[in-house]
Each structure stands twice: as structure tokens, then as C-alpha cells.
Amino acid sequence: MEFKQLEAFVAVVDYGSFSEAARRLYLTQPTISAHIRSLEEELHSRLILRTTKKTTVTTRGYQLYDSAVRMLEIRNNLLENFTGSQKHMIDIAASTIPSSYLLPELLAGFGTSHPDIYFHSIQTDSEEAIHRVLDGTVDLALVGQNTGDDSCIFTPFCQDTLVVAAPVTERYLKLKEKSAEFREFLHDPIIIREKGSGTKKEMDLFLEKIGVTPSELNVIARMNDLESIKKSIVNGLGISILSARSVTDLEKTKQILLFPLEESVHERSFYIVYSKNRILKPHVRQFMHYVQNFYQ
């Protein structure tokens, strides 16, 4: 159960109309309907009866309404008490690289000039972040891949490159002295990111571009935690193909070695993602414009 679902339900009851609730919450009617349907499925109860002429709240609906109003009031009071003022909220889902290496500086910069805006951020993989945009649980997402979903708008805002990250050993120090191609790493133990990761998707595109199949890799481990991968590389478990933004700190402290990939496909974009079926609130649009201009 999400606060956004409760907000949609309370608005429908308050305004007696799905269309008016959608207008007040800057959502579309299908999104309001989806939130109500999700609540009804989770609670196994019919909450609202809707006909072409009127909207009727059921007995179970009124029971939920009283509780939902109290829950939303508690949420709003907590925000006001802990932040010192009434703030607008932006819900963001971000994949690993944007969440760890882009979002902190974006929020710090935006928050300085917009102290009335409060953020709720969820870190997940790119596929799940996009799913959260589609089901309306977040306002927007920052991800490392464009899935081409027709229900979403994908706006690039930042560029990145993929690199081979390797431990500091005699072998890799020698390779560092020349322009090494990826095939020279082909038999080395490699750590692979999880399915759903934007980095994994871009790695697969790179391998396809140079004619290397996944079965040719000497996979030593598959991990879904980026920090675990980085520590494993430092400790000599193997190499990995990672975002340059995620490992430059370790290169600067000489804990790992980085090798650029030779094909242009290793370049990637990060995207702001939002639903075509959602009317974005003004403060969400403000943040989007800030993100788009930040790395220009």
C-alpha cells in the first residue's frame, strides 16, 4: 500500500469524481483508477462503485477513508515537524549509478535553491525503477538504460563511459603500458553485474559489437551490489566492466586500474524517465529542468 494510492482514494471521495481527483493531484484518470484498483485488490474489498452517472463510496470504502485521512495527516505532520515547514515531495526511483554517484550532487544543488522541496529516493535496478514510474509509485526515475517503453518519456541528461576495472597486479600494470584491447582480458576471471542493471545491458551491447558471446567469458561471480564488486576487484578476485563514474575514486587512490573499451558503443547515457500518462506537478518539472541542465 502506497501513500499515493491513499491520496488518490481520499481525493475521489472528497471531490466525488475521478476526473476532479485527477486534476487536483496532477494525475490522469487512468492513473487514479489504477491506484483505486490496486487498493481494492490488496484489501480484497470493493471501495468505490462507479457508473456513467455517479460515484458511490461503499461501506468498506468509508471505513478505509477515515483511516486513510488519519494516515495522510500523520505523514504530513511528520514532514512538517521534522523539516520545519510544509514541503512539496518528489518521489524518485534511481538505478545504482545515478543513485550513488549523481543524485547526491543533484539533490544538494537543487535543495540549496529550493528548500521547500522534500525528496524520497528509492535505489533499485533500471528495470524496477521504470516499473515504479509506470505503476505511479514514483514521480520520475533516473536510470542507465532506455527500454523503449512507449508509455514513458526517456530524456538523456548525462553521459558516461564503461571501462574494464582490474586489480593492481603485475599483469595488469604491464597491460596498462600499452593500448590493450578487450580480447586480451577474455580469459581473465570476470565479475558480472545482475540482470536488470543498465551497466549489464550496456556490457552486453559492447560484447555483441565486438563479436564476443557471453559463453566466452570466464565468469567467476555474479553480484547485484556494486560496492561488493569494487571491493572484490581490489582484493584480486577478478576484473569487471563498470561505469567510469563509479570507479574513478578507486583509480585516484591507486587501488584499481582502468582500461577504456575500444568501441564507441561503450559510451552510454543516463535518462530521466517519467510516464506519458502523468501530469507532472510544477515542482517536479522544476527538478527535471535542473537535472537536464546540471551536466551541460
Side-chain angles (χ1 to χ4, degrees), residues 228-266:
S228 295
I229 295 175
K230 291 164 64 175
K231 289 178 181 177
S232 297
I233 296 170
V234 170
N235 287 295
L237 178 62
I239 65 172
S240 190
I241 296 179
L242 298 174
S243 159
R245 289 181 179 272
S246 71
V247 286
T248 50
D249 56 337
L250 293 180
E251 183 189 38
K252 288 178 181 177
T253 55
K254 300 182 179 180
Q255 296 182 68
I256 62 171
L257 299 172
L258 301 183
F259 298 84
L261 300 181
E262 61 268 23
E263 295 289 338
S264 61
V265 72
H266 75 279

mmCIF file of all heavy atoms in Angstrom, residues 228-266:
data_model
loop_
_atom_site.group_PDB
_atom_site.id
_atom_site.type_symbol
_atom_site.label_atom_id
_atom_site.label_comp_id
_atom_site.label_asym_id
_atom_site.label_seq_id
_atom_site.Cartn_x
_atom_site.Cartn_y
_atom_site.Cartn_z
ATOM 1 N N SER A 228 30.288 -4.339 -3.519
ATOM 2 C CA SER A 228 30.899 -5.667 -3.361
ATOM 3 C C SER A 228 31.781 -5.998 -4.560
ATOM 4 O O SER A 228 32.864 -6.584 -4.404
ATOM 5 C CB SER A 228 29.816 -6.732 -3.195
ATOM 6 O OG SER A 228 29.093 -6.537 -2.010
ATOM 7 N N ILE A 229 31.319 -5.624 -5.748
ATOM 8 C CA ILE A 229 32.118 -5.857 -6.957
ATOM 9 C C ILE A 229 33.425 -5.078 -6.873
ATOM 10 O O ILE A 229 34.510 -5.606 -7.144
ATOM 11 C CB ILE A 229 31.333 -5.460 -8.215
ATOM 12 C CG1 ILE A 229 30.113 -6.369 -8.401
ATOM 13 C CG2 ILE A 229 32.228 -5.529 -9.450
ATOM 14 C CD1 ILE A 229 29.210 -5.970 -9.550
ATOM 15 N N LYS A 230 33.341 -3.804 -6.492
ATOM 16 C CA LYS A 230 34.543 -2.971 -6.413
ATOM 17 C C LYS A 230 35.543 -3.525 -5.400
ATOM 18 O O LYS A 230 36.753 -3.590 -5.661
ATOM 19 C CB LYS A 230 34.143 -1.537 -6.061
ATOM 20 C CG LYS A 230 33.385 -0.834 -7.179
ATOM 21 C CD LYS A 230 32.655 0.403 -6.717
ATOM 22 C CE LYS A 230 33.574 1.483 -6.211
ATOM 23 N NZ LYS A 230 32.824 2.719 -5.877
ATOM 24 N N LYS A 231 35.047 -3.931 -4.239
ATOM 25 C CA LYS A 231 35.938 -4.489 -3.216
ATOM 26 C C LYS A 231 36.551 -5.814 -3.673
ATOM 27 O O LYS A 231 37.708 -6.115 -3.362
ATOM 28 C CB LYS A 231 35.167 -4.674 -1.907
ATOM 29 C CG LYS A 231 34.820 -3.363 -1.214
ATOM 30 C CD LYS A 231 34.020 -3.590 0.054
ATOM 31 C CE LYS A 231 33.660 -2.256 0.713
ATOM 32 N NZ LYS A 231 32.818 -2.446 1.922
ATOM 33 N N SER A 232 35.774 -6.593 -4.409
ATOM 34 C CA SER A 232 36.281 -7.869 -4.920
ATOM 35 C C SER A 232 37.402 -7.646 -5.930
ATOM 36 O O SER A 232 38.376 -8.404 -5.975
ATOM 37 C CB SER A 232 35.142 -8.668 -5.559
ATOM 38 O OG SER A 232 34.156 -9.003 -4.602
ATOM 39 N N ILE A 233 37.261 -6.617 -6.759
ATOM 40 C CA ILE A 233 38.321 -6.286 -7.716
ATOM 41 C C ILE A 233 39.582 -5.857 -6.968
ATOM 42 O O ILE A 233 40.692 -6.329 -7.271
ATOM 43 C CB ILE A 233 37.870 -5.166 -8.669
ATOM 44 C CG1 ILE A 233 36.689 -5.631 -9.519
ATOM 45 C CG2 ILE A 233 39.023 -4.719 -9.574
ATOM 46 C CD1 ILE A 233 36.022 -4.520 -10.307
ATOM 47 N N VAL A 234 39.447 -4.981 -6.004
ATOM 48 C CA VAL A 234 40.589 -4.510 -5.213
ATOM 49 C C VAL A 234 41.323 -5.680 -4.569
ATOM 50 O O VAL A 234 42.563 -5.716 -4.521
ATOM 51 C CB VAL A 234 40.125 -3.515 -4.129
ATOM 52 C CG1 VAL A 234 41.258 -3.203 -3.154
ATOM 53 C CG2 VAL A 234 39.611 -2.229 -4.768
ATOM 54 N N ASN A 235 40.567 -6.693 -4.116
ATOM 55 C CA ASN A 235 41.166 -7.842 -3.442
ATOM 56 C C ASN A 235 41.613 -8.935 -4.391
ATOM 57 O O ASN A 235 42.059 -10.001 -3.951
ATOM 58 C CB ASN A 235 40.181 -8.417 -2.422
ATOM 59 C CG ASN A 235 40.042 -7.525 -1.201
ATOM 60 O OD1 ASN A 235 40.992 -7.335 -0.455
ATOM 61 N ND2 ASN A 235 38.867 -6.956 -0.994
ATOM 62 N N GLY A 236 41.492 -8.689 -5.714
ATOM 63 C CA GLY A 236 42.069 -9.601 -6.684
ATOM 64 C C GLY A 236 41.201 -10.734 -7.166
ATOM 65 O O GLY A 236 41.696 -11.665 -7.817
ATOM 66 N N LEU A 237 39.879 -10.686 -6.890
ATOM 67 C CA LEU A 237 39.016 -11.773 -7.340
ATOM 68 C C LEU A 237 38.936 -11.830 -8.858
ATOM 69 O O LEU A 237 38.916 -12.908 -9.444
ATOM 70 C CB LEU A 237 37.611 -11.607 -6.750
ATOM 71 C CG LEU A 237 36.574 -12.645 -7.183
ATOM 72 C CD1 LEU A 237 36.993 -14.046 -6.728
ATOM 73 C CD2 LEU A 237 35.188 -12.301 -6.634
ATOM 74 N N GLY A 238 38.884 -10.677 -9.510
ATOM 75 C CA GLY A 238 38.784 -10.664 -10.966
ATOM 76 C C GLY A 238 38.608 -9.247 -11.471
ATOM 77 O O GLY A 238 38.771 -8.278 -10.729
ATOM 78 N N ILE A 239 38.271 -9.147 -12.751
ATOM 79 C CA ILE A 239 38.022 -7.855 -13.389
ATOM 80 C C ILE A 239 36.515 -7.670 -13.535
ATOM 81 O O ILE A 239 35.731 -8.575 -13.247
ATOM 82 C CB ILE A 239 38.698 -7.776 -14.777
ATOM 83 C CG1 ILE A 239 38.065 -8.802 -15.731
ATOM 84 C CG2 ILE A 239 40.199 -7.991 -14.660
ATOM 85 C CD1 ILE A 239 38.521 -8.665 -17.173
ATOM 86 N N SER A 240 36.102 -6.505 -13.983
ATOM 87 C CA SER A 240 34.698 -6.279 -14.282
ATOM 88 C C SER A 240 34.579 -5.117 -15.253
ATOM 89 O O SER A 240 35.508 -4.302 -15.373
ATOM 90 C CB SER A 240 33.903 -5.979 -13.005
ATOM 91 O OG SER A 240 32.506 -5.977 -13.273
ATOM 92 N N ILE A 241 33.447 -5.047 -15.965
ATOM 93 C CA ILE A 241 33.132 -3.899 -16.813
ATOM 94 C C ILE A 241 32.154 -3.042 -16.049
ATOM 95 O O ILE A 241 31.046 -3.473 -15.722
ATOM 96 C CB ILE A 241 32.533 -4.350 -18.161
ATOM 97 C CG1 ILE A 241 33.551 -5.166 -18.953
ATOM 98 C CG2 ILE A 241 32.088 -3.137 -18.976
ATOM 99 C CD1 ILE A 241 33.041 -5.685 -20.281
ATOM 100 N N LEU A 242 32.578 -1.808 -15.750
ATOM 101 C CA LEU A 242 31.792 -0.946 -14.872
ATOM 102 C C LEU A 242 31.696 0.470 -15.427
ATOM 103 O O LEU A 242 32.427 0.840 -16.353
ATOM 104 C CB LEU A 242 32.439 -0.887 -13.477
ATOM 105 C CG LEU A 242 32.545 -2.210 -12.706
ATOM 106 C CD1 LEU A 242 33.337 -2.002 -11.424
ATOM 107 C CD2 LEU A 242 31.168 -2.777 -12.398
ATOM 108 N N SER A 243 30.817 1.250 -14.836
ATOM 109 C CA SER A 243 30.708 2.663 -15.162
ATOM 110 C C SER A 243 31.960 3.395 -14.694
ATOM 111 O O SER A 243 32.430 3.199 -13.565
ATOM 112 C CB SER A 243 29.481 3.258 -14.466
ATOM 113 O OG SER A 243 29.582 4.661 -14.350
ATOM 114 N N ALA A 244 32.507 4.236 -15.554
ATOM 115 C CA ALA A 244 33.697 5.001 -15.171
ATOM 116 C C ALA A 244 33.412 5.880 -13.959
ATOM 117 O O ALA A 244 34.278 6.066 -13.091
ATOM 118 C CB ALA A 244 34.169 5.853 -16.351
ATOM 119 N N ARG A 245 32.206 6.421 -13.867
ATOM 120 C CA ARG A 245 31.862 7.300 -12.744
ATOM 121 C C ARG A 245 31.899 6.566 -11.409
ATOM 122 O O ARG A 245 32.089 7.192 -10.359
ATOM 123 C CB ARG A 245 30.475 7.914 -12.952
ATOM 124 C CG ARG A 245 30.426 8.964 -14.054
ATOM 125 C CD ARG A 245 29.032 9.554 -14.187
ATOM 126 N NE ARG A 245 28.988 10.581 -15.218
ATOM 127 C CZ ARG A 245 29.253 11.864 -15.008
ATOM 128 N NH1 ARG A 245 29.576 12.275 -13.788
ATOM 129 N NH2 ARG A 245 29.190 12.734 -15.986
ATOM 130 N N SER A 246 31.699 5.264 -11.435
ATOM 131 C CA SER A 246 31.627 4.513 -10.186
ATOM 132 C C SER A 246 32.989 4.087 -9.647
ATOM 133 O O SER A 246 33.082 3.627 -8.503
ATOM 134 C CB SER A 246 30.741 3.270 -10.375
ATOM 135 O OG SER A 246 31.389 2.310 -11.194
ATOM 136 N N VAL A 247 34.041 4.216 -10.439
ATOM 137 C CA VAL A 247 35.344 3.681 -10.009
ATOM 138 C C VAL A 247 36.495 4.687 -10.089
ATOM 139 O O VAL A 247 37.631 4.337 -9.767
ATOM 140 C CB VAL A 247 35.712 2.416 -10.826
ATOM 141 C CG1 VAL A 247 34.879 1.233 -10.381
ATOM 142 C CG2 VAL A 247 35.547 2.654 -12.322
ATOM 143 N N THR A 248 36.226 5.906 -10.513
ATOM 144 C CA THR A 248 37.316 6.885 -10.611
ATOM 145 C C THR A 248 37.925 7.177 -9.240
ATOM 146 O O THR A 248 39.115 7.500 -9.139
ATOM 147 C CB THR A 248 36.825 8.197 -11.238
ATOM 148 O OG1 THR A 248 35.632 8.631 -10.565
ATOM 149 C CG2 THR A 248 36.513 8.008 -12.711
ATOM 150 N N ASP A 249 37.121 7.070 -8.169
ATOM 151 C CA ASP A 249 37.661 7.311 -6.829
ATOM 152 C C ASP A 249 38.728 6.280 -6.470
ATOM 153 O O ASP A 249 39.768 6.612 -5.884
ATOM 154 C CB ASP A 249 36.536 7.307 -5.788
ATOM 155 C CG ASP A 249 35.711 6.020 -5.800
ATOM 156 O OD1 ASP A 249 35.680 5.328 -6.837
ATOM 157 O OD2 ASP A 249 35.090 5.709 -4.761
ATOM 158 N N LEU A 250 38.502 5.014 -6.845
ATOM 159 C CA LEU A 250 39.483 3.963 -6.558
ATOM 160 C C LEU A 250 40.716 4.089 -7.443
ATOM 161 O O LEU A 250 41.821 3.753 -7.019
ATOM 162 C CB LEU A 250 38.840 2.583 -6.748
ATOM 163 C CG LEU A 250 37.732 2.208 -5.757
ATOM 164 C CD1 LEU A 250 37.185 0.821 -6.061
ATOM 165 C CD2 LEU A 250 38.237 2.277 -4.321
ATOM 166 N N GLU A 251 40.526 4.581 -8.662
ATOM 167 C CA GLU A 251 41.682 4.789 -9.531
ATOM 168 C C GLU A 251 42.569 5.910 -8.980
ATOM 169 O O GLU A 251 43.806 5.796 -8.993
ATOM 170 C CB GLU A 251 41.236 5.134 -10.945
ATOM 171 C CG GLU A 251 42.409 5.296 -11.910
ATOM 172 C CD GLU A 251 41.994 5.855 -13.259
ATOM 173 O OE1 GLU A 251 41.116 6.728 -13.287
ATOM 174 O OE2 GLU A 251 42.577 5.423 -14.264
ATOM 175 N N LYS A 252 41.954 6.971 -8.486
ATOM 176 C CA LYS A 252 42.725 8.098 -7.957
ATOM 177 C C LYS A 252 43.564 7.685 -6.754
ATOM 178 O O LYS A 252 44.657 8.220 -6.537
ATOM 179 C CB LYS A 252 41.780 9.237 -7.568
ATOM 180 C CG LYS A 252 41.169 9.956 -8.756
ATOM 181 C CD LYS A 252 40.194 11.037 -8.304
ATOM 182 C CE LYS A 252 39.570 11.741 -9.501
ATOM 183 N NZ LYS A 252 38.565 12.762 -9.076
ATOM 184 N N THR A 253 43.067 6.738 -5.960
ATOM 185 C CA THR A 253 43.816 6.263 -4.798
ATOM 186 C C THR A 253 44.678 5.052 -5.133
ATOM 187 O O THR A 253 45.222 4.407 -4.241
ATOM 188 C CB THR A 253 42.856 5.906 -3.649
ATOM 189 O OG1 THR A 253 41.883 4.950 -4.115
ATOM 190 C CG2 THR A 253 42.132 7.147 -3.148
ATOM 191 N N LYS A 254 44.770 4.728 -6.436
ATOM 192 C CA LYS A 254 45.638 3.662 -6.952
ATOM 193 C C LYS A 254 45.307 2.288 -6.377
ATOM 194 O O LYS A 254 46.172 1.445 -6.204
ATOM 195 C CB LYS A 254 47.115 4.004 -6.679
ATOM 196 C CG LYS A 254 47.549 5.305 -7.352
ATOM 197 C CD LYS A 254 49.019 5.600 -7.123
ATOM 198 C CE LYS A 254 49.412 6.900 -7.837
ATOM 199 N NZ LYS A 254 50.836 7.238 -7.654
ATOM 200 N N GLN A 255 43.988 2.062 -6.152
ATOM 201 C CA GLN A 255 43.557 0.749 -5.665
ATOM 202 C C GLN A 255 43.151 -0.177 -6.810
ATOM 203 O O GLN A 255 43.092 -1.394 -6.625
ATOM 204 C CB GLN A 255 42.380 0.912 -4.707
ATOM 205 C CG GLN A 255 42.718 1.687 -3.442
ATOM 206 C CD GLN A 255 41.531 1.764 -2.506
ATOM 207 O OE1 GLN A 255 41.102 0.755 -1.926
ATOM 208 N NE2 GLN A 255 40.979 2.959 -2.346
ATOM 209 N N ILE A 256 42.827 0.410 -7.969
ATOM 210 C CA ILE A 256 42.493 -0.390 -9.150
ATOM 211 C C ILE A 256 43.088 0.281 -10.382
ATOM 212 O O ILE A 256 43.516 1.440 -10.336
ATOM 213 C CB ILE A 256 40.967 -0.558 -9.339
ATOM 214 C CG1 ILE A 256 40.304 0.809 -9.568
ATOM 215 C CG2 ILE A 256 40.331 -1.301 -8.186
ATOM 216 C CD1 ILE A 256 38.847 0.694 -9.963
ATOM 217 N N LEU A 257 43.063 -0.453 -11.502
ATOM 218 C CA LEU A 257 43.492 0.069 -12.791
ATOM 219 C C LEU A 257 42.291 0.086 -13.730
ATOM 220 O O LEU A 257 41.468 -0.829 -13.700
ATOM 221 C CB LEU A 257 44.604 -0.799 -13.386
ATOM 222 C CG LEU A 257 45.894 -0.897 -12.560
ATOM 223 C CD1 LEU A 257 46.828 -1.947 -13.159
ATOM 224 C CD2 LEU A 257 46.589 0.458 -12.479
ATOM 225 N N LEU A 258 42.194 1.122 -14.558
ATOM 226 C CA LEU A 258 41.092 1.245 -15.503
ATOM 227 C C LEU A 258 41.607 1.207 -16.926
ATOM 228 O O LEU A 258 42.617 1.830 -17.253
ATOM 229 C CB LEU A 258 40.324 2.554 -15.264
ATOM 230 C CG LEU A 258 39.721 2.754 -13.877
ATOM 231 C CD1 LEU A 258 38.935 4.056 -13.837
ATOM 232 C CD2 LEU A 258 38.835 1.578 -13.483
ATOM 233 N N PHE A 259 40.855 0.485 -17.786
ATOM 234 C CA PHE A 259 41.197 0.366 -19.196
ATOM 235 C C PHE A 259 39.989 0.778 -20.029
ATOM 236 O O PHE A 259 38.902 0.204 -19.856
ATOM 237 C CB PHE A 259 41.587 -1.078 -19.545
ATOM 238 C CG PHE A 259 42.791 -1.587 -18.809
ATOM 239 C CD1 PHE A 259 42.657 -2.115 -17.523
ATOM 240 C CD2 PHE A 259 44.040 -1.540 -19.396
ATOM 241 C CE1 PHE A 259 43.769 -2.592 -16.845
ATOM 242 C CE2 PHE A 259 45.155 -2.021 -18.723
ATOM 243 C CZ PHE A 259 45.020 -2.540 -17.438
ATOM 244 N N PRO A 260 40.133 1.750 -20.923
ATOM 245 C CA PRO A 260 38.997 2.145 -21.767
ATOM 246 C C PRO A 260 38.639 1.041 -22.746
ATOM 247 O O PRO A 260 39.501 0.262 -23.182
ATOM 248 C CB PRO A 260 39.510 3.396 -22.487
ATOM 249 C CG PRO A 260 40.999 3.232 -22.501
ATOM 250 C CD PRO A 260 41.351 2.534 -21.225
ATOM 251 N N LEU A 261 37.349 0.951 -23.077
ATOM 252 C CA LEU A 261 36.903 -0.005 -24.091
ATOM 253 C C LEU A 261 37.065 0.622 -25.464
ATOM 254 O O LEU A 261 36.890 1.827 -25.639
ATOM 255 C CB LEU A 261 35.450 -0.402 -23.851
ATOM 256 C CG LEU A 261 35.177 -1.073 -22.497
ATOM 257 C CD1 LEU A 261 33.710 -1.435 -22.377
ATOM 258 C CD2 LEU A 261 36.049 -2.304 -22.311
ATOM 259 N N GLU A 262 37.365 -0.233 -26.457
ATOM 260 C CA GLU A 262 37.805 0.312 -27.747
ATOM 261 C C GLU A 262 36.688 0.731 -28.680
ATOM 262 O O GLU A 262 36.895 1.487 -29.620
ATOM 263 C CB GLU A 262 38.700 -0.704 -28.475
ATOM 264 C CG GLU A 262 38.020 -2.034 -28.813
ATOM 265 C CD GLU A 262 38.201 -3.087 -27.743
ATOM 266 O OE1 GLU A 262 38.459 -2.709 -26.574
ATOM 267 O OE2 GLU A 262 38.075 -4.274 -28.054
ATOM 268 N N GLU A 263 35.448 0.266 -28.468
ATOM 269 C CA GLU A 263 34.361 0.568 -29.391
ATOM 270 C C GLU A 263 33.492 1.703 -28.856
ATOM 271 O O GLU A 263 33.303 1.855 -27.652
ATOM 272 C CB GLU A 263 33.476 -0.675 -29.619
ATOM 273 C CG GLU A 263 34.204 -1.809 -30.318
ATOM 274 C CD GLU A 263 34.477 -1.508 -31.776
ATOM 275 O OE1 GLU A 263 33.785 -0.658 -32.341
ATOM 276 O OE2 GLU A 263 35.400 -2.123 -32.324
ATOM 277 N N SER A 264 32.934 2.497 -29.754
ATOM 278 C CA SER A 264 32.125 3.650 -29.345
ATOM 279 C C SER A 264 30.871 3.240 -28.583
ATOM 280 O O SER A 264 30.258 4.055 -27.906
ATOM 281 C CB SER A 264 31.724 4.482 -30.572
ATOM 282 O OG SER A 264 30.942 3.704 -31.468
ATOM 283 N N VAL A 265 30.451 1.954 -28.702
ATOM 284 C CA VAL A 265 29.237 1.508 -28.022
ATOM 285 C C VAL A 265 29.389 1.563 -26.505
ATOM 286 O O VAL A 265 28.425 1.522 -25.771
ATOM 287 C CB VAL A 265 28.853 0.076 -28.479
ATOM 288 C CG1 VAL A 265 29.807 -0.946 -27.909
ATOM 289 C CG2 VAL A 265 27.417 -0.251 -28.104
ATOM 290 N N HIS A 266 30.647 1.658 -26.000
ATOM 291 C CA HIS A 266 30.826 1.699 -24.550
ATOM 292 C C HIS A 266 30.352 3.021 -23.958
ATOM 293 O O HIS A 266 30.234 3.151 -22.760
ATOM 294 C CB HIS A 266 32.291 1.452 -24.169
ATOM 295 C CG HIS A 266 33.190 2.626 -24.422
ATOM 296 N ND1 HIS A 266 33.698 2.918 -25.638
ATOM 297 C CD2 HIS A 266 33.662 3.598 -23.589
ATOM 298 C CE1 HIS A 266 34.462 4.005 -25.564
ATOM 299 N NE2 HIS A 266 34.448 4.445 -24.336
#
